[in-house]
Each structure stands twice: as structure tokens, then as C-alpha cells.
Amino acid sequence: MESSSSPLDAEAVADLVLLDPLTEESLVQTLQERFRRQDIYTYIGNVVISVNPYQSLPIYTPEKVEEYHNCSFFAVKPHIYAIADDAYRSLRDRDRDQCILITGESGAGKTEASKLVMSYVAAVSSKGEEVNKVKEQLLQSNPVLEAFGNAKTVRNDNSSRFGKYMDIEFDFKGDPLGGVISNYLLEKSRIVRHVKGERNFHIFYQLLAGASPQLLQQLKLRQDCGHYGYLNRESSSLPGMDDAANFQAMVIGFSPAEVTELLEVTAVVLKLGNIHPSWALALPSSHTELREICELIGLDPSTLEQALCSRTVKARDETVLTTLTVPQVSRNTPNEQKKVMGVLDIYGFEIFQDNGFEQFIINYCNEKLQQIFILMTLKEEQEEYVREGIQWTPVEFFDNSIICNLIENSTTGILAMLDEECLRPGVVNEDTLLTKLNQLLATHKHYESKETQNARHVTDTSLPERCFRIHHYAGKVTYNLTGFIEKNNDLLFRDLSQAMWAARHALLRSLFPEGDPQKVSLKLPPTAGFQFKSSVAMLMKNLYSKNPNYIRCIKPNDTKSAMVFTPELVLAQVRYLGLMENVRVRRAGYAFRQLYGPFLQRYKMLNPRTWPRWDGGDREGAEVLLAGLEFPAEELAFGHTKVFIRSPRTLFDLERRRQERVAQLATLIQKMFRGWRCRTQYQLMRKSQILISAWFRGHRQMKRSALIVQAYARGWKSRRLLRELKAQRRRHAAATTIAAHWRGYQARRTYRRYFRSTASTNLANFIYRRLVQRYLVGLAKNLPPLSVTDRTWPSAPYRFLDNTNQELKNIFYHWKCKKYRDQLTPSRRAQLQAKLCASELFKDKKTLYPKSLQQPFRGEYLGLKQNPKYQKLHAVAKDKLVMADSVMKVNRANGKTVPRLLLLTTEHLVLADPKAAQPKTVLTLSDIRGISVTRFSDGFLALHLKEVSTVGAKGDFLLVSDHLIELVTRLHQTFEAATGQALPLHITDRFSTHFPKGDVSITVVESPKASANGPVCKKKGSNKMEVLVQ
Ligand SMILES: Nc1ncnc2c1ncn2[C@@H]1O[C@H](COP(=O)(O)OP(=O)(O)O)[C@@H](O)[C@H]1O
Ligand SMILES: [Mg+2]
């Protein structure tokens, strides 16, 4: 794309809506400037204006197709491809049938434009074998249509002499399914007559130039164009047009048989031109042609001759009128949704030197197309704004419906009057028709004739007799009435069509169905004008039902010259095409409108508030939706029923967003669907797996159960057997027992008979004796050691010996002790006796006792013999001394202690002063009444004296001895030996003592205050004393 022309280039704006200032001159200038830059396409909104360059430009390459494919309409230079793409996308994405209306004068480039649209759609729609076949057929229909329908005219070397409307059908994906091509009013008269400088239909020239000699011979033709009357006996090959090559292209797509039939009919037409009926039979050449024709179509020459001769004049006007249909058009079932794109390429507006019925018809058709344009883009649109309540300043424009009405009105229209004249009985010719027209249309602004001019006193030499003039939207055209009635009648006399029907030529017969004698109808066929009018009406209806896209072709010069721009010529076209008004309405108006409902439906996914469902009204929904998209306010208008969007850019933006969103949603749906599919599949698989494993487990369980049942059965059998065996054994045992008892009983009976009754006792005694003997001998051999401390003794071997054994054990022990005692020395014995006595007195009674166990009773602690100091004392004791020790005497008055020496003899107890070693007190043992000691481990002792004794009068003695146990024991022994009585010993906590001053009760108190050495005596009052001991 060249950068030279940006869309906003002031000199050559790409969209005339942007033109400033907007005048006719600036508009034409812009077109001229763009044309100079080889930008032949220009927009007015989405209408494309195409200026014919008359030279091939490099803008139709596959790369260009790619560039415009799915492009944004305004991002690229204006092009037919862009509008084709827009239409195709609207069709595919918005589901709206489209039509592309291509209008313009003859030679302005309409046919080329239609071909470009077709090839673009073919290129961008999807590929595939079937689709490609359809596309090929659609594209290939062109050469054959052009061959039979196009001819060179003064305006255009390849002028379409018929209207062509092609409907291409697409499926929902946008793939072409097929197409229907409708033709409108072929210019049949061209076959028999054409102006000098023009040509007949291409097919004749193509056939003669392209067919092989064999084919020509088969068709009984000569290659020489000059031979044929219909070709004006001149061979006019055209520069830049290869008839031979086109002939080859034309036959593609037909079967050979079809081609042959077609060419045979073509040859027949060509040859018919060489038969001049008036002198047909006179000339041998005519005769030859006639014969050859009949050979070709399988007809008896006389039949044809008769048919031709009886209606000589009419015969020359005849040729084929048919509707060609693309072979193998795939007609789909009606319920299948299909979309249609129509491309209309119809002959353009024509003004010739001499304009006949054909031009009248052609221009009528163009008038109708212009009406569509005016209605859809100017009138309808403006009316809609008013209807929808959008603020609007009306734009003036010329409405050509008055001209259409002039031609087609069913009572006062020219066509109606023409029909009336044709059907009217009586003298009918062009003059009567003209008179009628003049009468009825005398005051019509767009109708003129000599007569109406005369009536208005206008002198106009340009309007000849037998002519009338119509002021078309595109200019004034003077029509010559000559031939109008004849052509309108379009009558083919019955004998001719019957002759053709009689031919043995399938194609020819099918072309003349009315020739069938059985279908003879006396009704006149409809006139050409009527037919055309109704087919145009049908076409219009068809076009109105679709979304129109316009391509307006402009012819830049009259000379078919490359890159020549004649401003005047273009200005005229700009005027009659109403481009200025178009720009004005466009500028003020809105590019797009749609009912709220469909609009909301289409774009609701763009706003979370309207997606997936909007519950309110459509209008509110659309407003909410658009509010969320934040377009500038001036871009939008809300009518009563429709929403309007001002610039296409906004619409494209909307569409782009929608596409993105739809892609997202599609992904989402795909995701959900895939998830669902996988899940269900997984669940199915899982279910199957569970089923299989259940079956398998069931099978295994059954096997296992069988085993268990078997095991139980076997177990039960075994147990039964066991039970039986046990019962058997019990029976057996019982029998044995019974037998044993029985035998025993018998044995005992027998025994009693033979033995004494004491025998068993004797026997037992014997056995016992024997056992005792063995026990005793064994015991004697294994006597335990003789040690006194060892108390072991073997256990009894038999229970009946237990008592004996115990007895023996005791005897043995006593014997052992006796033996031990016997061997003791007298002193040792006395010592042990003393110990024994101590034990009897104190064991478990005084806590001091256990300590004394270890201490041997030495008796003599003072060393009376050795110490000379104690000689006197020693003398007192002499040999009778039992014990000598030092003690502490407790003062009865204050509890304090004083040391004393104590001597015990077999008769006396002596207390002496340790210093003087002089006896202080001497007690006869019999004076002692008793002794009291504490329970504790102290050495406190109270010596109770008989009050009657001499010493006794002094009161009891309280002493503390370190060898209390020995002292008391020896005192006890000695007392017993001396008096033969036991000395009373009290082990108590509380006792009373007798003192001269009165009795004192002594309480022994365990107290930590007492020293370890001895008790502490405390006098409490006059007759109480506490002894604190540990
Ligand atoms: N886009 C174009 N590029 C080049 N030449 C063109 C183009 N359009 C038309 N022409 C030329 O103009 C001639 C007439 O065009 P055509 O489409 O047959 O006119 P119409 O159908 O309007 O009568 C064509 O034969 C071709 O030479
Ligand atoms: Mg054409």
C-alpha cells in the first residue's frame, strides 16, 4: 500500500464523507486526483465508487486478497475487495443475506467489478474438494455467459447485453454450496441486426475462430465470418480479445454431448441468417443452407421451408431466450439454514444515437436500480431517523419514482400502454401508440414528444417524428418508437415453433415447448415488456430483502482510453448517481442501525450485566450494554426501536470486541465440554471397572465360598467321625471298666477263697516298716552338722513320716544344744545364764536391751584388785563380789547427780564415795523391795527399798548406770540366789518413789534435751520429778 494517500490526505480523501468543502467541484477533483494516483476506488461510507481505469492495475493479486481478508474496513485503502469482504463477513457472522448492487453506465466496469467480487469470495471462503468444485463452477459460468450474452458495443468492447443476477448460497460456515444465475432480458435483436462498429454476440466469432476444422465441418460451417449475414459479412476481431482462446474456456464444464448440441443450435442460428426468405427458394445457396440446417437438427427440409415461407417476416427475429443455470447447482433442502449473497450486474444506462425498445427497457431497469439506491440510502434512511425520533435535518434529493411510475404504472405507464396497443384489435402501429402516449402523458414533466413540445410551443429540432423523450435520472433519452410494438409482442408464430419442436434435436425441442401440438394454447403469450416488468419487480423484491452493498461505477471517458479523466463526463454521472446527496446524508447520519432485540442478542456478551441474560427490556439492555463499552456519546443514538451507531469504526470496534469475546466463550464452552466428556468417559470407565471387578470378585468369592463350604462339610464329616470314634472309645472304655471290675470282683472272690483276710494289712505293715527303716538308716547316714546355730534338717521322704521327722528334728536340736552346754566352762555358763536372764527380763521391753547384747557382762569394771586405792573396798567384797562399777546417784532434792562406786556381792549392795573409796551405804539384798527402770535406752534406775529396813528409812535410791542391763540382771540373779524369791522389776514411764520427805512421783519424758550419756532429772515441785530421756 502506497503511503502517498493516507485516508485523510486532504487532496484525495479516501472517504468522501471527509471531504471539505463539500461541493460538486471538490468531489470531482478528489476523484480525479485519486484517479491520477491510480486509486480508482473511493468510499462514501460503505458505498464504493469505482472509476474505470481502462487498463490493468496491479491491485488484484493474491497478496492483495490476503491483505483485505479479514481486515478492518477502514484500515486499508478503499477497494472492491474490502466491500466484498465486509459483505461476506456480514453474511457469515451476522447471518444476513447480502446483495451487491453494481450500477453505472455501460462500460463503467460493472461486469469487471462483479467478477472481482466473485473471485474474492471464492478466494477467501474455505477450501476443500466439494467447495472448490462449487467455486470453480461459479467462476466458470462467466465465460459461457459472456460468450452468449456479451457483445462489443460502441461503449464497451465486452458489453453485457443481458442482466445477470447471481445468488451464491453459503452454509453456516460461510462455505459456498452453489449458486443460481438469473438472466434478464437478453438483447435478442442483436442477433439479426447490430449497428456498424459493434458486433454480434461473442459466441459466433468465438465459434468460427476457435473451432477445429473437423468441428466446423461437423457443424457445416465455414471459418470465414464474411460468409454470414448475421455477422454483417465482416470479420471484426477485437484488439485484446482472443476469440479462439475464449472459445476453449467457454466449453469447460460441459459434457461433450452438451457442447455439441449447443454448438449445433448456434450454427443453425448463424446459418438461418443466410436464408433470405423472400428469395429463399430461388437461390441455390439458400437452398443448401436450408438443407444443411435440417440435417443438423434432424428435420425434414420441406417442413422448415414451409414454416419459414408462410411467416417470412417474423422468422428473422427469433433466437434463444432461456434461463441458464449453473450445472449441478446444489439445491439444498429448504430447512437447512443457508445464506445468500447476490451479485447484480446488469446492463448500464445507455444513450445511443438511435435508442430503441432495448434501450428503453435497459434504462427502465437502471431507473429501478437507482430507485433502490435512493430508497435505501437517502429516503428510507432519512425517514427512519424521523420515525425513530432521532434529531434530523432533512437532506434534499431527487426522487426518481416519478420516472419509474411514468414507465411502469399499470394503467398510465408507457409499458401498460404499449401492451394495450399490442393486444388491441384493429389497426395498430407506432403512430397510434404515440398518439395515445401524447394524450395521456401530455403534462408529464419527464415525458416529451414533438406533439407535447408543440403544445408548449417549444421548438426542438433534436426530437424527430415518431420519437418520444424521457428525462431519466441520468439524462434525457430520445427513443425511436419504430419496432416497439413488434419487439414487445415478441411473437413466434406457432408453425415455426411447431417446426422446431418437430426436429429430432433434444436441445432445440426443449427450447420450443410451446411447439408441442398437444399443448396448443390460444392464449397470447405475455409481452416482452410485461415479462420484463414482472421480472424486474421480482428482482427488486429480492434485492429489498437483502442487505445492500453498493458499487457505483463511473466511466471517466467516452473513448475507452486508459487513465483519461473527463471531469464533465464524471460530473454528470456524479449528479445523476446522487453522490452529493449520498455524502450529505451519510455525513449527518448513522452508519449502522439495528433493532434493539437483535442488537442486544448479538452483543450481549460484551457486558457482564447483559450476559448471559438480560431480564429487562431490549432498549434498556442495549443502553446498559453500550454504556459499559464507553463509546463517545455522539457515536450512539437511541431511537424508538433501533440503536444507531454513527461511524463504521465504532461498529467495527464493536464487532472486533465481540469476536474476541466469542473466541473466549468458545474456549470456555470447549473447556466445559471437554471436561464433561472426560468426566463422563471417566465415570463410564470407572463404572465398567467396578462392574468388572465386582464380577471378578464375585467369581473369586464364589470360589472361596465353595472352598469354605467344602471345608465346613469336610470338618463336619470329620467331626462326626471323631464323635463316633470317641463314643466308640467311651463304650470300649466302659466295657473295659466293667470287665475290669467284673474280673476284679471275680479275682477278689477267688482270692478270698484262697488267702487270709489279714494278709493285706500284714503286707502293708511290712511295707511301712521297710520304708521307715530305709528312712531312718538314711537319716543316720546323713545327719546335719552339729553346730548349734545350724537348724537344717532333711525333709520327710513320705507324707506319713512328717510328724516323726519334725519330732526327730526337735530331738536332734535339743540333743545338739545339750552337747554344746555340756562342754561349756562354769564361768562361761554363768555368763550365758546372766545373759539369758537379761534377755528374760528386758527383751522387747526396754530399748536399751539390744545394745547390751554385744557387751559381755564383765562384772568387774573398777579393777578393785589392781587399784590399791580400792583395797578397802576389795576387802569388803572379798571372794563374794559379783559386780563392781561406777554409777551416778541422783540427788533426790534437786535432781543433780553425783558419782558413786557400786559393789554387788552375793549378800550386799554397797555404794561408796569414789574419792575416799569408803562405803557410804551398805544394803542387804533382802532390803530391796523392787526396781523400776524406764522403757527407753537410758541407764536410769530406781531402787525401791523396804521401809522397815534401816537404810530403807532414808528412802529409795535413784541411780544412773552405764551398765544398767548387767547391773539389774546380776541384782536379780543375786537376789534370787540370796532370798529364793524373784526381785520385782517394773519397766514403766511413771512410778512413785518413797523418800523420807514424802513420796515423789516420777514421770519419764522422752525429750531431745536429755544428753546421750544419761537422763536429766528435773525436780518439779515437792513431790514431782521429771526424768528427760532420749
Ligand atoms: N477494474 C478495472 N481494471 C481494468 N480495466 C477495467 C476495470 N473495470 C473495467 N475495465 C475495462 O473496462 C471495460 C468495460 O468494463 P465492463 O465491466 O464490461 O463494463 P460494464 O459491464 O459496466 O459495461 C472492460 O472490458 C475492461 O477493459
Ligand atoms: Mg457489463
Side-chain angles (χ1 to χ4, degrees), residues 741-760:
H741 276 279
W742 175 244
R743 284 203 200 99
Y745 163 72
Q746 277 195 327
R748 277 193 298 280
R749 227 173 44 181
T750 327
Y751 171 81
R752 270 204 296 280
R753 200 179 295 162
Y754 294 104
F755 293 94
R756 279 191 301 168
S757 57
T758 54
S760 64

Side-chain angles (χ1 to χ4, degrees), residues 110-111 150 156 158-160 345-347:
K110 297 181 297 296
T111 304
N150 287 23
N156 183 352
N158 184 30
S159 181
S160 318
D345 166 31
I346 210 149
Y347 17 50

Side-chain angles (χ1 to χ4, degrees), residues 40-41 50-57 59-60 80 102-116 146 150 155-160 241 345-348 553 560:
I40 58 165
Y41 299 114
S50 157
V51 187
N52 190 350
Y54 285 115
Q55 71 176 29
S56 65
L57 296 176
I59 53 172
Y60 308 111
I80 279 194
I102 307 169
T103 55
E105 289 186 18
S106 176
K110 297 181 297 296
T111 304
E112 292 297 319
S114 78
K115 286 194 254 182
L116 289 171
E146 289 198 353
N150 287 23
R155 316 232 160 210
N156 183 352
D157 287 350
N158 184 30
S159 181
S160 318
M241 192 174 283
D345 166 31
I346 210 149
Y347 17 50
C553 298
K560 307 176 206 165

Side-chain angles (χ1 to χ4, degrees), residues 826-964:
S827 63
R828 174 79 180 140
R829 185 179 302 188
Q831 214 172 30
L832 285 177
Q833 269 172 349
K835 278 276 178 188
L836 182 64
C837 183
S839 139
E840 280 164 2
L841 291 176
F842 295 106
K843 191 172 179 194
D844 299 331
K845 291 173 189 160
K846 186 166 169 70
T847 31
L848 185 64
Y849 172 71
K851 282 185 199 162
S852 75
L853 279 177
Q854 296 307 315
Q855 298 162 354
F857 290 173
R858 284 196 354 235
E860 227 295 287
Y861 292 96
L862 296 176
L864 291 179
K865 272 184 206 163
Q866 293 86 0
N867 199 335
K869 195 177 154 191
Y870 297 137
Q871 228 157 21
K872 218 186 230 169
L873 293 173
H874 184 56
V876 174
K878 288 240 183 107
D879 298 331
K880 294 169 195 169
L881 184 73
V882 179
M883 186 170 170
D885 196 7
S886 58
V887 295
M888 304 298 280
K889 180 175 169 279
V890 180
N891 189 322
R892 285 172 302 204
N894 57 13
K896 289 200 176 132
T897 53
V898 286
R900 286 287 181 268
L901 300 176
L902 183 147
L903 302 183
L904 177 66
T905 63
T906 47
E907 277 141 24
H908 296 97
L909 180 73
V910 181
L911 286 173
D913 183 48
K915 282 171 193 160
Q918 205 55 308
K920 271 197 120 177
T921 312
V922 178
L923 291 173
T924 317
L925 288 183
S926 57
D927 288 343
I928 297 173
R929 183 166 51 100
I931 299 172
S932 291
V933 296
T934 73
R935 286 187 294 122
F936 303 100
S937 57
D938 57 288
F940 183 82
L941 125 121
L943 201 61
H944 306 286
L945 299 180
K946 289 179 180 159
E947 284 165 31
V948 289
S949 70
T950 45
V951 195
K954 285 186 188 175
D956 298 345
F957 286 99
L958 300 178
L959 301 175
V960 177
S961 165
D962 286 342
H963 305 100
L964 179 91

Side-chain angles (χ1 to χ4, degrees), residues 143 206-207 209-212 215 242-253:
Q206 287 176 357
L207 176 59
S212 64
L215 182 60
D242 187 346
D243 286 327
N246 285 343
F247 178 73
Q248 299 308 330
M250 191 273 295
V251 297
I252 294 174

Side-chain angles (χ1 to χ4, degrees), residues 103 133 173 224 263 317 319 369 390 506 612 658 832 1012 1019:
T103 55
K133 217 165 116 192
K173 298 198 299 293
D224 174 20
L263 293 181
D317 284 3
T319 185
L369 286 179
I390 306 272
R658 178 181 179 272
L832 285 177
K1019 191 80 192 299

Side-chain angles (χ1 to χ4, degrees), residues 433-459:
L433 174 64
L434 189 61
T435 318
K436 200 168 185 175
L437 289 178
N438 288 338
Q439 262 172 22
L440 266 168
L441 305 171
T443 53
H444 201 286
K445 272 198 287 185
H446 294 267
Y447 176 82
E448 255 184 307
S449 72
K450 203 87 207 153
E451 202 165 319
T452 60
Q453 280 183 347
N454 289 342
R456 286 182 219 148
H457 309 293
V458 179
T459 39

